[in-house]
Amino acid sequence: MADDQLNYHKKSGKMMITPGLLVLLLVCSFSAISTHGDEDPSIRTMEEFSGYPIHEPDSSIPSSVSSLYVDAQNLQKQIDELSSFSDTPAPSVTRVLYTEKDVLARRYVKNLMGLAGLSVREDAVGNIFGRWVGQEPELAAVATGSHIDAIPYSGKYDGVVGVLGAIEAINVLKRSGFKPRRSLEVILFTSEEPTRFGISCLGSRLLAGSDNLVKALRTTTDSQNISFLDAARSAGYAKYEDDLSSVFLSKGTYSAFIELHIEQGPILEEEGISVGIVTAIAAPASLKVEFEGNGGHAGAVLMPNRNDAGLAAAELALAVEKHVLESGSIDTVGTVGILELHPGAINSIPSRSHLEIDTRDINEERRNQVIEKFHQSAIRIAKTRGVRLSEFHIINQDPPATSAEEVIKAMETATRELNLTSKLMISRAYHDSLFMARLSSMGMIFIPCYKGYSHKPEEFASIQDMSNGVKVLALTLAKLSLL
Ligand code: GLV
Ligand code: MN
Ligand code: MN
């Protein structure tokens, strides 16, 4: 999969809709629902939603837009309920791909999709799609969504806000009487987190079409030696196929994709800003490294006679920090999140060590240079310590993604019309949007989270911030569905 970046083509194509055609489309859409609007004043018109004035050039920010109703209490209740499907006690959440809790959580979300009137389908790896069919179903749909898997001992908002919030955004639009022109689709992506099989954004990576991943998944196993396909089958997926390329979507499937997510950083909260409009997602990479030595008795083998695989791992972990700090940019980060020693006994010299390294940067070239330095250090450490570097495997080495201009514009307009403050920002965390950008125009909406905490139980987003995010999402979806 390391060569995934070779297949990467950012889609930046602007939609070819002239102003005249746009007005025509809006007038048609408007007249289609205007009688409905006459009957019930609470029903919003296309004109109000679009923000593109049809009759009054000066009324592009209809006051009624700010009355979009988000049932935020109910959204919080759903987030709390979903968090109960966890393998660790509250307030932590642990929900790992294809476990019993993951299956129950998926059922919970499918039920909400059904209650929102969406038609639900699932693919062979368990990406779940809930579609609201638009007035012109043959057009490419506008999609939104995120993930609900949670790394060990994490919180209840990462990803979840973008799935349950997306369903609520659909409810907001439905309650208001809006009728989309393009279909709107909510997606729950399978395994954004790499916890079980070491592969991040597994579902969206496959949707975007990766032959290498399809091949790798035939032999991928988890730490218990359970194969990916067996695990998928135990959760009710991949029943009939070994060939997971059935999951791939073609480029015309969606005209745009927007993901709502907590910021996972402190900027919005610190600056008191309601919404972050993401312009780009940093380039992530992950690596697996193994050293092998002779091991032996912790008392009997004298220090000069040792080749300690554990110390080689420790030295490499420090080298990762050094290379990242020396990159010259604050944007380069590196983390050794997994470090395992074999046999793992206090009185045994480690004979094998296993490290997993996560490194990212907004600059892909600089990120790649740092990876090369990790490799050189691993070779040097193995040599000087007399251990064997038995594995240096780049699991993924993805390029960054940039948001599409028309999606940024729609998000900015929506935020302005809702009288919310906003800021353009980059995402240092990766998201399924990184891969959806390979299929369609992409954009992300960030909301503040407490102290920027994420991937830990203290993760928190306020009801008000979630409500703002859902409104911006709903209005952006509405706008994009009319384009
Ligand atoms: C996503 O969970 C990430 O690690 O950025
Ligand atoms: Mn996460
Ligand atoms: Mn996430």
Side-chain angles (χ1 to χ4, degrees):
M1 232 199 310
D3 59 350
D4 258 6
Q5 72 273 22
L6 298 177
N7 304 323
Y8 178 73
H9 299 288
K10 186 178 74 65
K11 185 182 174 200
S12 60
K14 283 189 112 183
M15 294 181 200
M16 294 305 293
I17 296 181
T18 61
L21 178 57
L22 181 61
V23 169
L24 189 65
L25 289 171
L26 292 170
V27 170
C28 292
S29 309
F30 176 65
S31 57
I33 65 158
S34 59
T35 39
H36 208 47
D38 289 340
E39 287 160 30
D40 180 351
S42 72
I43 291 177
R44 307 274 85 83
T45 63
M46 286 286 181
E47 184 180 18
E48 285 168 326
F49 271 99
S50 68
Y52 301 106
I54 298 167
H55 306 300
E56 298 165 3
D58 294 333
S59 64
S60 60
I61 308 176
S63 57
S64 53
V65 161
S66 61
S67 66
L68 288 174
Y69 173 63
V70 176
D71 191 345
Q73 300 293 341
N74 196 38
L75 176 59
Q76 182 66 61
K77 184 171 146 272
Q78 292 167 358
I79 290 171
D80 293 343
E81 279 172 2
L82 195 66
S83 74
S84 70
F85 302 114
S86 166
D87 280 318
T88 52
S92 76
V93 181
T94 302
R95 196 162 42 241
V96 177
L97 179 66
Y98 300 149
T99 58
E100 188 195 339
K101 296 294 163 37
D102 181 44
V103 171
L104 290 172
R106 287 162 175 275
R107 198 173 297 162
Y108 182 89
V109 173
K110 281 185 276 183
N111 185 46
L112 291 182
M113 284 180 168
L115 290 172
L118 304 179
S119 40
V120 179
R121 83 172 175 93
E122 295 176 273
D123 66 19
V125 296
N127 289 311
I128 301 174
F129 307 83
R131 181 169 284 226
W132 180 9
V133 178
Q135 289 179 321
E136 296 184 41
E138 67 287 356
L139 295 180
V142 176
T144 179
S146 194
H147 64 101
I148 61 160
D149 60 329
I151 67 164
Y153 296 94
S154 61
K156 57 183 167 187
Y157 297 89
D158 176 5
V160 168
V161 171
V163 176
L164 300 184
I167 297 172
E168 179 56 17
I170 298 289
N171 286 327
V172 166
L173 294 176
K174 288 202 164 188
R175 276 196 289 270
S176 72
F178 177 74
K179 298 269 185 291
R181 176 172 166 250
R182 293 176 183 276
S183 299
L184 295 179
E185 187 148 289
V186 177
I187 309 177
L188 180 159
F189 294 101
T190 280
S191 192
E192 190 260 1
E193 306 288 7
T195 314
R196 184 161 185 184
F197 292 100
I199 300 165
S200 58
C201 300
L202 195 152
S204 50
R205 213 181 262 277
L206 264 186
L207 288 177
S210 168
D211 291 321
N212 288 341
L213 179 54
V214 168
K215 201 164 147 230
L217 287 176
R218 287 194 195 119
T219 54
T220 298
T221 56
D222 67 9
S223 59
Q224 306 301 306
N225 227 15
I226 299 171
S227 76
F228 175 81
L229 286 170
D230 282 349
R233 282 175 190 140
S234 75
Y237 300 112
K239 280 191 196 129
Y240 309 109
E241 57 266 87
D242 286 346
D243 181 6
L244 296 174
S245 58
S246 66
V247 170
F248 295 0
L249 291 179
S250 62
K251 274 205 170 170
T253 308
Y254 300 118
S255 62
F257 175 81
I258 310 107
E259 181 169 1
L260 171 65
H261 206 283
I262 57 168
E263 184 201 338
Q264 302 182 289
I267 298 171
L268 294 174
E269 187 190 57
E270 273 171 17
E271 298 184 10
I273 290 171
S274 300
V275 172
I277 292 174
V278 174
T279 54
I281 303 174
S286 55
L287 298 88
K288 277 187 185 169
V289 184
E290 291 216 358
F291 292 110
E292 284 178 13
N294 293 334
H297 195 285
V301 184
L302 295 178
M303 298 307 280
N305 301 332
R306 296 184 181 196
N307 55 1
D308 186 327
L311 291 179
E315 203 175 329
L316 182 60
L318 290 173
V320 165
E321 183 192 42
K322 177 172 169 286
H323 295 314
V324 159
L325 289 174
E326 284 175 359
S327 84
S329 170
I330 193 80
D331 294 321
T332 321
V333 291
T335 308
V336 177
I338 296 178
L339 204 168
E340 290 163 354
L341 304 181
H342 179 86
I346 186 171
N347 53 355
S348 182
I349 301 162
S351 59
R352 203 166 61 231
S353 59
H354 172 93
L355 300 93
E356 295 190 16
I357 306 168
D358 176 304
T359 184
R360 317 176 188 205
D361 204 317
I362 53 171
N363 181 319
E364 184 182 7
E365 202 184 320
R366 193 167 55 210
R367 195 269 327 265
N368 289 345
Q369 284 165 4
V370 160
I371 292 175
E372 182 48 32
K373 287 185 181 158
F374 296 168
H375 193 195
Q376 292 311 319
S377 283
I379 292 169
R380 179 187 53 75
I381 291 164
K383 201 162 163 222
T384 52
R385 288 192 169 273
V387 297
R388 202 162 68 82
L389 177 62
S390 47
E391 183 174 4
F392 188 94
H393 176 51
I394 300 174
I395 305 167
N396 63 290
Q397 191 173 9
D398 303 307
T402 45
S403 303
E405 234 174 79
E406 69 267 23
V407 183
I408 293 178
K409 190 162 162 273
M411 294 187 292
E412 279 182 321
T413 312
T415 310
R416 210 171 38 244
E417 288 172 5
L418 290 161
N419 282 322
L420 295 169
T421 48
S422 71
K423 174 184 180 101
L424 295 175
M425 58 198 307
I426 57 155
S427 171
R428 294 177 189 280
Y430 55 71
H431 300 280
D432 293 301
S433 294
L434 188 71
F435 297 93
M436 293 307 284
R438 298 178 181 187
L439 283 174
S440 83
S441 303
M442 176 279 286
M444 286 193 78
I445 300 163
F446 275 176
I447 55 166
C449 56
Y450 175 64
K451 290 189 175 177
Y453 288 164
S454 189
H455 283 187
K456 54 184 192 170
E458 293 86 348
E459 199 178 73
F460 173 79
S462 74
I463 286 187
Q464 183 59 54
D465 286 329
M466 289 194 286
S467 176
N468 290 340
V470 170
K471 273 189 202 169
V472 175
L473 177 63
L475 195 49
T476 305
L477 290 173
K479 287 174 187 299
L480 295 173
S481 87
L482 298 179
L483 289 181

